[in-house]
Amino acid sequence: MFSYRHAFHAGNHADVLKHTVLIATLEHLLEKEAALTVVDTHAGAGLYRLDGDYAGTSGEAAEGVLRLLSEPKDAKAAPLPDALARYLDVIRDFNPKGGARIYPGSPFITHHLLREHDKLKLFELHPTDARTLDANIAQLEAGRQIAVLREDGFGSATKFLPPPSRRALVLCDPSYEIKSDYARVLDFVSAALKRFATGTYAVWYPIIPRPEAHDLPRRLKTLATKAGKSWLHATLTVKSSKIVTDASGATHRPGLPASGMFLINPPYTLKALLEPALPQMVQRLGQDRHAASSLESGG
Ligand code: SAM
C-alpha cells in the first residue's frame, strides 16, 4: 500500500475528466448563497509541478492538460464547450505567466472556487503527501475554512455529514491501489447517503480490465436507484486497454486507458454541460480508434 503518488499522474486525461466535472458541479452548487461544505476523502498533495521530476517521469500531463493548453488558437474553430473552457480557465488562473508549470489538485481547485463562508475538509493518509498538503494549504492562510486530516477518508469522512448548512459535495477519489478500495467506495457512499441523503457525491474510478472496476459504476447505480436518488455517469476512454507485444516479444502495458465519474444527486445542469464537452475531450485527447466517451443519467 501507499506506492501511489498522484504527482506522477497530475494533469493526465483522468484529471481532465475529474476536474472538469468537479468545477462544473461546484459552480452550480455555489450559485446558492448558503454555505457549502466540500469533503475530499482522498486529497493528494494539493499542488503539483508539471515541470518537476515526478511529472517528467511519466509525461502523463503531456497527453492530458498540456495537450489541451498547447493547441494553437484557430480563429475559425468552434469555441470550446463551456465546461472544458472553465476547466482550462481555472488551470490558467494558477499559471498567470502562461503554460502549465503548476497543476492544482482537487483541494486547490475547490478552494479557488469556494467563498469565504464555505468549508473544505481534506483527508490524506500518505505520510509524504499529507505533509506536502499541510504545507501547501498553510500558504493559503485560510484558517478554519480548511481542515487537513491525516485520517482514513473512507473511515471518518462521514463525521462531517450532514454539515450545519445541510449542503455538501463529497469527492471520493481513491488510488485503487488495493482491490478492496472498490468495495470500500461502495460502503462509504452507502453509509454517507444514509447519514445525508441530499448531499452530492462524486466518485472517480479507473476503467481497467478488472472485474471490480467494471462492477463499481453498476453497483453505484443500483445504490442510487434503491435510495431513490438521481445519478449521472460519465466516462472518457483515450486508448485501447490491450497489452501490446513489440517485435522483440516484449510486452507493454498501455497505462490508464479510461476512467469514469459517477455522481449521485448531480446538479441538474451537469448533463447538458458535459454533453458537448466529452466528445471534445475524445477529439483532443484520444490516442487511437478506441477513444470514446459515454454519458448517461437516471433517477
Ligand atoms: N483527489 C486528488 C486530486 O484530484 O487532485 C487526487 C487524489 S489521489 C488519486 C488519491 C490519494 O488518496 C493519494 O494521495 C493517496 O495517498 C490517498 N489515500 C489512499 N488511501 C487513503 C485513505 N484511506 N484515506 C485518505 N487518503 C488516502
Side-chain angles (χ1 to χ4, degrees):
M1 199 187 167
F2 281 150
S3 59
Y4 181 94
R5 309 291 303 282
H6 196 65
F8 289 107
H9 311 285
N12 68 2
H13 62 85
D15 268 5
V16 173
L17 172 68
K18 182 204 312 171
H19 295 152
T20 299
V21 171
L22 175 65
I23 291 166
T25 302
L26 270 172
E27 290 193 329
H28 176 81
L29 293 172
L30 292 170
E31 280 172 11
K32 278 201 182 139
E33 183 51 26
L36 180 73
T37 294
V38 179
V39 180
D40 194 337
T41 60
H42 296 71
L47 276 180
Y48 306 94
R49 291 276 303 266
L50 292 187
D51 57 355
D53 290 346
Y54 288 116
T57 309
S58 68
E60 289 188 25
E63 292 173 347
V65 66
L66 294 177
R67 193 186 279 199
L68 292 178
L69 285 169
S70 67
E71 283 189 355
K73 284 214 163 54
D74 175 355
K76 286 191 214 131
L80 273 182
D82 283 350
L84 206 47
R86 278 299 296 138
Y87 165 71
L88 290 178
D89 283 347
V90 170
I91 304 305
R92 288 194 189 99
D93 287 346
F94 285 86
N95 295 278
K97 291 184 183 153
R101 209 169 59 86
I102 303 289
Y103 190 81
S106 51
F108 273 71
I109 290 176
T110 303
H111 174 260
H112 186 63
L113 299 175
L114 290 188
R115 305 148 308 179
E116 267 179 29
H117 61 288
D118 300 315
K119 296 272 189 269
L120 179 54
K121 314 289 185 192
L122 303 171
F123 289 82
E124 175 53 51
L125 260 188
H126 192 291
T128 312
D129 282 354
R131 223 177 303 121
T132 311
L133 179 65
D134 257 339
N136 284 333
I137 293 294
Q139 286 181 33
L140 292 171
E141 297 184 359
R144 295 176 57 170
Q145 185 189 25
I146 308 182
V148 179
L149 301 102
R150 288 188 196 193
E151 294 173 23
D152 177 8
F154 290 129
S156 52
T158 50
K159 68 183 168 194
F160 292 114
L161 302 176
S165 66
R166 301 197 68 84
R167 302 190 66 236
L169 167 63
V170 180
L171 173 64
C172 186
D173 178 26
S175 37
Y176 300 93
E177 270 180 276
I178 38 174
K179 219 166 59 173
S180 57
D181 272 3
Y182 296 90
R184 294 195 78 195
V185 167
L186 205 72
D187 290 347
F188 168 74
V189 177
S190 169
L193 257 184
K194 278 193 189 116
R195 280 178 76 102
F196 184 39
T198 55
T200 296
Y201 298 91
V203 174
W204 178 87
Y205 72 98
I207 302 179
I208 49 175
R210 177 169 219 170
E212 295 83 1
H214 285 278
D215 277 354
L216 183 60
R218 195 177 47 76
R219 297 176 75 182
L220 285 167
K221 204 181 294 178
T222 304
L223 180 68
T225 308
K226 278 193 179 153
K229 299 293 162 193
S230 59
W231 56 268
L232 179 147
H233 183 204
T235 70
L236 173 64
T237 302
V238 297
K239 59 185 170 186
S240 162
S241 62
K242 284 220 166 64
I243 295 173
V244 180
T245 309
D246 67 19
S248 70
T251 53
H252 301 278
R253 293 195 168 272
L256 182 68
S259 71
M261 283 290 278
F262 194 98
L263 285 90
I264 297 179
N265 295 326
Y268 72 90
T269 49
L270 189 59
K271 193 172 186 194
L273 279 169
L274 293 180
E275 241 150 18
L278 288 170
Q280 280 297 316
M281 290 182 201
V282 174
Q283 193 181 318
R284 288 156 198 261
L285 303 180
Q287 295 175 31
D288 63 27
R289 64 186 175 82
H290 296 273
S293 65
S294 69
L295 181 62
E296 46 166 1
S297 62

